[in-house]
């Protein structure tokens, strides 16, 4: 539709219709009969209002969505199609690793490909918008939603967020944005802003961050995705410095619209507008509506506010109608960009669904990405295993033979088509002796409904004993442990981030009879696994690997695929260290070893360093780095310095290394982190091969928010580090003059 036609449509719409476009309701409220039923908490809204809404979330399936769209448009006065949205966070039916695992691939290419597959499957299922990428920086493993983030680093999150936007919206390889094109889905950057820094890691908790920290660490990834063309942004639940995001004019009008130049659709999070009442800055839903529209929220996701009160606020003169026109027009424009006025069903097709959901090509990519998301944390020469093992292999633990390796935001309609580790091994001709050993969740700790492994102590003891017997007669034990998916994700904050007690008991009882333990850890967060690492000869962190998890684990354990993942979020030694992150400050009393005590930075009873740092990950060979060579030791703002290392594969196997560049701005007008990731390159090296790896360091990489909050570089000393992870000491000094 031409823009002037949209403008004419806007003119023809009543105020109620324009407000209606700015409302999103759950599909459960717009039933197959075309309109409201009472099955769910339908906000008890009048039917004539619900028939005017602009969007629905939470339903997938080409047939169901087509039927709902048809019924809905028939009832709408101007037959305006619904925007159909859903949370496709790490795949639609073909489930990919959780974003935290995707972060460990350090591969924008792979992340873009996975997003592309997700977009194709989601649009075939009739969807128009996905609520992804989630780009909240995370430093606190207690928070349940770290699984949705690509990690603790602003630069990595920005690179991978841009890749997701390209994959979803089809704007990769510099292609012009054409959301109407088949396979393209609208992305939505979330949650704006800084939802990942709740006090105490507690879900929905207040966030207190200085403007400098926001701008240096938390805003860059959102901004990068917006600059990559992402067409939607979602507000966050949290208060930011005591102002809820959905009513925060500074955050939305100044930072998002004016500074980041975002002119797309801003949607609230689920009921977040009404939640300003309980936050305590709105007396009622009417006031919440006013705060949100003044802050620039274009669409109210599931609350009473806009649908009940926005028209009245305009009629009373408290809100200018142009604000409603602006919001409504952004909704109409997105529908138009998606081609919905010409084709309200977009790519929805039952045939297409049958053809591509979980197709071999998509499964292969999921398998490849899962294997590359795994991080080998320890290997005392026990991996890779030989398929023709002398003696049996015992496969033990609650994750040994289950398909449920999906992240918390995964809703496959056919989860049973996933591949278990047992199946993955058998596909390689290895027939393990399998024992469950225990259940995933300790009975007394099952905080979330619906995941109750109901069992008796006798049943548990039987499982344990059986597992010990299985371990006794095996050459090697593959122990598959991890937290339950429902203990991660939204509402999944935990104060204790160790593994369930029964699983640790199983570990120790098995270790008593067999020392050759390879532990595979499943989690949606950096769990505390110090005991596991101590007792095991090898530890592979696999996060929540998705549909092809079983095949991918077998691929890596048996060396058909080399592990190459690097931690996108560090693993703490204990929950007491959290929040913990590599780009920390030196303080006035630096503690290099991390464990010194006295009047020095740190704890009496714990190191200041994590168990495994950001960027860390082993493989089945070794790499040696030369010293860093610089093209020169001074640079002006107009020049660049090239930092180069030679990396050698000193082992017997070909492998890939993710070479990382970190910078340290030694002295600034404000203190600067002692390391900042500024580049990474994945380098393939054959056994014995050496390669030079270079990074160009340019002045823009040295900029920061100085003492006057200007984004600029400052002359002075810098150190360029190049290494295998963020703990590298391999650096060389240069000056900006
Ligand atoms: C949820 C989440 C958000 C999600 C939305 C729709 O509460 O916070 O990430 O996209 O509601 O499901």
């Amino acid at each position: 539709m031409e823009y002037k036609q949209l403008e004419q449509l806007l003119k023809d719409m009543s105020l109620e219709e324009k407000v209606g476009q700015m409302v999103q309701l759950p599909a459960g409220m717009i039933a197959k009969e075309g309109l409201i039923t009472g099955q769910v908490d339908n906000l008890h809204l009048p039917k004539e209002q619900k028939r005017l809404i602009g969007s629905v979330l939470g339903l997938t399936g080409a047939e169901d969505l087509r039927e709902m769209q048809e019924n809905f448009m028939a009832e709408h006065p101007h037959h305006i199609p619904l925007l159909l949205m859903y949370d496709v966070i790490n795949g639609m039916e073909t489930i990919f690793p959780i974003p935290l695992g995707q972060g460990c691939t350090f591969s924008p290419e792979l992340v873009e490909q996975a997003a592309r597959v997700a977009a194709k499957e989601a649009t075939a299922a009739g969807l128009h918008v996905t609520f992804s990428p989630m780009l909240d920086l995370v430093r606190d493993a207690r928070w349940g939603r770290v699984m949705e983030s690509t990690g603790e680093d602003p630069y990595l999150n920005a690179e991978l967020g841009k890749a997701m936007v390209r994959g979803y919206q089809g704007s990769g390889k510099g292609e012009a944005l054409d959301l109407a094109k088949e396979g393209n889905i609208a992305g939505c950057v979330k949650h704006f802003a800084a939802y990942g820094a709740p006090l105490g890691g507690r879900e929905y908790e207040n966030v207190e961050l200085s403007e400098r920290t926001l701008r240096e660490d938390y805003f860059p990834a959102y901004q990068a995705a917006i600059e990559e063309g992402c067409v939607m942004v979602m507000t966050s639940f949290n208060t930011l410095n005591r102002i809820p995001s959905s009513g925060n004019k500074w955050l939305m009008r100044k930072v998002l619209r004016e500074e980041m130049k975002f002119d797309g659709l801003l949607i609230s999070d689920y009921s977040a507008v009404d939640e300003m009442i309980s936050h305590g800055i709105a007396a009622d839903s009417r006031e919440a509506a006013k705060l949100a529209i003044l802050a620039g929220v274009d669409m109210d996701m599931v609350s009473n506010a806009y649908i009940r009160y926005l028209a009245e606020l305009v009629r009373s003169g408290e809100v200018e109608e142009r604000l409603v026109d602006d919001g409504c027009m952004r909704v109409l424009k997105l529908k138009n960009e998606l081609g919905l006025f010409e084709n309200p069903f977009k790519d929805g097709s039952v045939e297409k669904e049958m053809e591509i959901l979980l197709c071999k090509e998509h499964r292969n990519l999921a398998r490849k990405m899962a294997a590359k998301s795994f991080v080998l944390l320890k290997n005392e020469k026990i991996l890779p295993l030989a398929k023709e093992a002398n003696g049996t292999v015992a496969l033990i633990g609650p994750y040994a033979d289950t398909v449920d390796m999906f992240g918390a935001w995964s809703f496959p309609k056919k989860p049973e088509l996933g591949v278990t580790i047992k199946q993955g091994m058998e596909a390689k001709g290895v027939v393990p002796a399998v024992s469950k050993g225990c259940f995933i969740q300790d009975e007394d700790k099952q905080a979330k409904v619906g995941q109750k492994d109901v069992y008796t102590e006798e049943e548990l003891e039987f499982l344990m004993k059986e597992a010990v017997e299985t371990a006794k007669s095996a050459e090697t034990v593959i122990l598959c442990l991890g937290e339950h998916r429902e203990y991660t994700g939204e509402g999944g904050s935990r104060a204790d981030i160790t593994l369930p007690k029964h699983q640790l008991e199983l570990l120790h009882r098995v270790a008593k009879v067999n020392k050759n333990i390879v532990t595979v850890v499943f989690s949606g967060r950096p769990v505390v696994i110090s005991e596991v690492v101590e007792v095991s000869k090898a530890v592979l962190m696999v996060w929540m690997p998705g549909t092809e998890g079983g095949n991918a684990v077998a691929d890596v354990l048996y060396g058909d695929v080399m592990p190459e993942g690097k931690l996108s979020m560090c693993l703490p030694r204990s929950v007491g260290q959290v929040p913990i992150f590599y780009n920390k400050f030196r303080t006035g009393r630096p503690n290099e070893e991390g464990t010194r005590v006295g009047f020095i930075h740190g704890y009496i009873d714990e190191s200041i360093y994590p168990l495994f740092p950001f960027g860390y990950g082993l493989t089945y060979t070794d790499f040696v780095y030369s010293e860093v060579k610089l093209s020169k030791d001074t640079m002006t703002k107009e020049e660049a310095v090239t930092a180069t290392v030679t990396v050698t594969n000193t082992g017997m196997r070909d492998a890939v290394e993710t070479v990382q560049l970190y910078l340290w701005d030694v002295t600034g007008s404000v203190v600067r982190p002692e390391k900042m990731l500024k580049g990474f390159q994945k380098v393939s090296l054959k056994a014995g091969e050496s390669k030079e790896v270079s990074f160009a360091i340019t002045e823009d990489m040295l900029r920061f928010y100085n003492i006057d909050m200007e984004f600029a570089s400052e002359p002075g000393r810098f150190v360029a580090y190049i290494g295998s992870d963020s703990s590298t000491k391999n650096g060389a000094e240069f000056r900006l003059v």
Side-chain angles (χ1 to χ4, degrees):
M1 192 188 277
E2 293 298 319
Y3 190 72
K4 58 180 182 308
Q5 290 174 286
L6 285 183
E7 288 177 315
Q8 188 53 54
L9 173 57
L10 187 70
K11 283 198 183 81
D12 296 345
M13 291 165 76
S14 69
L15 178 58
E16 276 69 17
E17 279 187 83
K18 291 189 283 190
V19 165
Q21 287 301 304
M22 300 167 71
V23 173
Q24 178 179 72
L25 294 178
M29 297 184 192
I30 312 292
K32 287 190 176 175
E33 297 73 59
L35 279 173
I36 301 94
T37 65
Q39 287 127 348
V40 292
D41 168 19
N42 65 4
L43 302 177
H44 307 295
L45 295 165
K47 184 169 180 174
E48 57 277 7
Q49 284 180 314
K50 283 192 173 180
R51 65 199 283 267
L52 301 180
I53 66 169
S55 176
V56 159
L57 81 157
L59 182 66
T60 66
E63 191 172 5
D64 285 348
L65 288 178
R66 172 177 286 271
E67 185 182 0
M68 181 167 69
Q69 187 75 292
E70 275 170 348
N71 291 341
F72 188 86
M73 287 175 69
E75 293 261 328
H76 192 281
H78 283 95
H79 313 298
I80 298 174
L82 291 165
L83 264 180
L84 304 174
M85 306 191 193
Y86 198 77
D87 291 280
V88 184
I89 306 297
N90 45 259
M92 175 79 214
E93 187 63 32
T94 306
I95 304 299
F96 287 87
I98 53 174
L100 192 61
Q102 295 194 27
C104 297
T105 67
F106 272 71
S107 172
E109 298 72 25
L110 257 185
V111 166
E112 182 176 336
Q113 290 166 22
R116 194 80 208 113
V117 164
K120 286 179 181 172
E121 293 196 356
T123 50
L127 293 169
H128 307 148
V129 178
T130 178
F131 295 122
S132 175
M134 186 274 214
L135 292 172
D136 303 329
L137 184 90
V138 289
R139 294 171 158 168
D140 191 326
R142 293 169 294 184
W143 190 48
R145 301 190 74 165
V146 299
M147 49 78 58
E148 288 177 70
S149 169
T150 47
E152 71 181 62
D153 181 70
Y155 176 79
L156 180 64
N157 290 353
E159 292 307 301
L160 299 184
K162 291 190 291 186
M164 287 183 188
V165 170
R166 292 193 295 269
Y168 290 138
Q169 301 190 160
S171 51
K173 302 179 193 53
E175 288 170 41
L177 183 57
D178 176 7
L179 290 177
K181 190 175 170 192
E182 184 176 8
N184 293 349
I185 197 167
C188 176
V189 171
K190 69 184 188 183
H191 306 80
F192 200 69
Y195 179 22
L199 290 176
R202 289 182 294 276
E203 184 60 283
Y204 310 126
E205 177 62 83
N206 182 37
V207 171
E208 294 271 353
L209 292 171
S210 71
E211 182 177 340
R212 179 170 280 108
T213 297
L214 281 168
R215 291 182 180 284
E216 288 283 357
D217 302 332
Y218 288 83
F219 287 166
Y222 303 125
Q223 178 154 5
I226 288 164
E227 287 170 359
E228 195 67 24
C230 198
V231 294
M232 258 177 70
V233 170
M234 183 188 294
T235 69
S236 61
F237 285 123
N238 56 286
T239 50
L240 180 56
N241 299 329
R242 305 182 197 189
I243 303 169
S245 298
S246 303
N248 192 324
K249 284 172 78 172
W250 172 79
L251 191 60
M252 300 305 171
R253 295 247 184 233
K254 172 88 172 52
V255 175
L256 180 64
R257 297 283 187 199
E258 199 179 302
E259 292 180 18
M260 295 187 180
K261 299 184 176 37
F262 176 68
D263 63 2
L265 179 57
L266 177 61
I267 188 171
S268 76
D269 203 339
Y270 199 104
S271 76
V273 175
D274 263 352
E275 288 178 14
M276 288 197 276
I277 301 165
S278 43
H279 273 301
I281 69 160
D284 52 33
S285 195
R286 185 178 190 281
E287 200 173 325
K290 187 173 175 181
L291 286 170
I293 191 69
L294 292 177
V297 174
D298 300 313
M299 185 172 276
D300 176 10
M301 185 194 292
V302 192
S303 100
N304 288 289
Y306 280 15
I307 195 165
R308 282 184 186 280
Y309 301 108
L310 191 49
E312 182 199 314
L313 283 163
V314 170
R315 290 205 168 86
S316 71
E318 291 173 70
V319 167
E320 290 178 71
E321 184 157 3
R322 71 172 179 79
L323 293 183
V324 170
D325 291 347
D326 291 349
C328 178
M329 181 52 95
R330 286 196 189 99
V331 177
L332 297 176
K333 275 175 66 180
L334 182 53
K335 293 182 177 182
N336 198 40
E337 285 160 16
L338 284 157
L340 300 185
F341 289 105
E342 290 75 29
N343 172 13
F345 313 111
K346 198 171 185 309
D347 308 341
S349 151
V350 174
E351 298 71 33
K352 195 81 181 159
E353 278 181 304
M354 302 285 283
E355 179 198 336
I356 71 168
L357 268 58
L358 272 177
C359 68
K360 192 72 193 125
E361 181 198 343
H362 292 179
R363 277 183 174 272
N364 289 343
L365 182 64
R367 177 171 179 169
K368 176 182 173 186
M369 180 181 231
K372 290 177 182 293
S373 72
F374 300 164
V375 183
L376 181 61
L377 299 174
K378 178 181 180 183
N379 184 23
E380 283 176 349
K381 302 198 184 331
I382 187 171
L383 290 178
L385 300 175
K387 295 189 187 84
E388 48 294 326
N390 45 342
T392 54
V393 175
L395 181 64
I396 296 173
Y399 272 101
D401 192 20
T402 172
V403 292
D404 194 359
M405 299 180 268
F406 306 114
W409 282 99
S410 308
F411 311 102
K413 291 185 174 171
K414 297 178 181 162
E416 67 281 2
L417 297 181
V419 180
T420 74
I421 295 179
K422 174 173 177 284
Q423 292 164 340
M425 290 172 69
E426 288 170 345
K428 292 181 183 293
V430 177
V431 183
V434 183
S435 290
K436 186 171 181 172
C438 68
F439 296 88
I440 291 182
Q441 208 48 49
D442 297 344
E443 172 63 24
D444 61 333
K445 285 264 186 66
Q446 298 200 17
K448 285 194 165 185
V449 294
Q451 295 303 332
K452 287 224 173 282
D453 292 324
V454 181
Y455 53 86
T456 62
E457 281 310 314
E458 291 72 27
E459 282 170 322
L460 180 60
E461 184 53 26
F462 172 79
L463 288 174
M464 291 270 189
K465 282 194 174 120
E466 182 196 57
V468 170
E469 287 311 306
T470 305
K472 246 183 219 163
S473 53
E475 169 66 25
T476 307
V477 173
I478 299 171
L479 194 54
C480 306
L481 308 176
E483 64 177 353
H484 198 286
R485 67 197 296 258
E486 290 294 337
Y487 258 42
T488 72
E490 187 171 352
S493 288
R494 295 173 62 196
D496 170 1
I497 53 176
T498 56
L499 293 182
K501 299 291 172 279
H502 292 154
Q503 293 191 33
L504 294 175
E505 183 189 340
L506 175 64
L507 166 73
H508 290 298
R509 286 173 69 165
V510 165
K512 280 203 178 71
V513 299
N514 194 320
K515 294 300 176 203
N516 293 328
I517 297 176
V518 173
T519 303
V520 181
V521 181
F522 292 79
S523 72
R525 59 163 47 84
V527 281
V528 168
I529 53 169
S530 311
E531 272 178 78
V532 171
V533 174
E534 204 175 305
V535 169
S536 309
K537 282 193 174 173
V539 180
L540 185 68
M541 171 58 86
V542 299
W543 311 109
M544 291 292 180
T547 304
E548 285 289 327
N551 278 328
V553 168
D555 286 346
V556 170
L557 292 185
Y558 284 91
D560 293 336
V561 175
M562 297 286 275
E564 68 178 75
K566 297 283 188 175
L567 288 176
S568 59
M569 189 175 180
C570 67
L571 258 61
R573 295 170 189 276
S574 57
V575 71
Q577 291 183 306
V578 169
I580 184 171
F581 45 94
Y582 85 92
N583 39 2
K584 67 177 182 58
F585 300 99
R586 282 171 62 79
T587 78
R589 301 192 179 191
N591 184 348
E592 303 300 347
E593 297 78 27
T595 52
R596 276 169 55 206
V597 291
F599 301 107
I600 192 162
H601 175 214
Y603 306 102
I604 291 176
D605 58 356
E606 182 60 281
S607 169
I608 60 171
Y609 295 113
L611 189 62
F612 297 103
F614 173 83
Y616 176 89
L618 304 174
T619 188
Y620 298 148
T621 187
D622 294 308
F623 297 108
V624 170
Y625 282 68
S626 74
E627 288 181 355
V628 176
K629 288 192 186 57
L630 299 176
S631 55
K632 48 192 168 188
D633 57 11
T634 58
M635 70 178 269
T636 65
K637 290 195 172 186
E638 293 68 41
E639 296 168 322
V641 168
T642 302
T644 303
V645 290
T646 300
V647 185
T648 302
N649 177 348
T650 57
M652 309 296 282
R653 291 166 177 266
D654 301 352
V656 173
E657 167 69 327
T658 302
V659 181
Q660 299 153 49
L661 167 73
Y662 296 89
L663 293 184
W664 177 27
D665 181 350
V666 179
T667 311
S669 57
V670 297
V671 296
R672 308 283 292 123
E674 58 185 2
K675 279 214 181 75
M676 295 175 284
L677 182 71
K678 292 292 181 182
F680 54 86
Q681 294 180 41
K682 293 183 86 88
V683 181
S684 297
L685 288 166
K686 295 196 176 320
E689 186 182 12
S690 294
K691 274 184 185 170
E692 274 203 355
V693 183
S694 294
F695 295 91
I697 299 169
T698 50
E699 182 268 340
D700 61 297
M701 294 159 70
L702 312 181
R703 296 176 191 162
F704 67 103
Y705 286 90
N706 65 19
I707 189 74
D708 300 318
M709 284 303 278
E710 295 150 348
F711 191 60
S713 60
E714 293 173 350
R717 289 173 53 208
F718 292 81
V719 179
Y721 296 97
I722 301 180
S724 187
D725 64 58
S726 58
S727 68
T728 181
K729 302 270 189 288
N730 190 28
E733 189 168 316
F734 67 95
R735 298 183 74 86
L736 174 66
V737 294

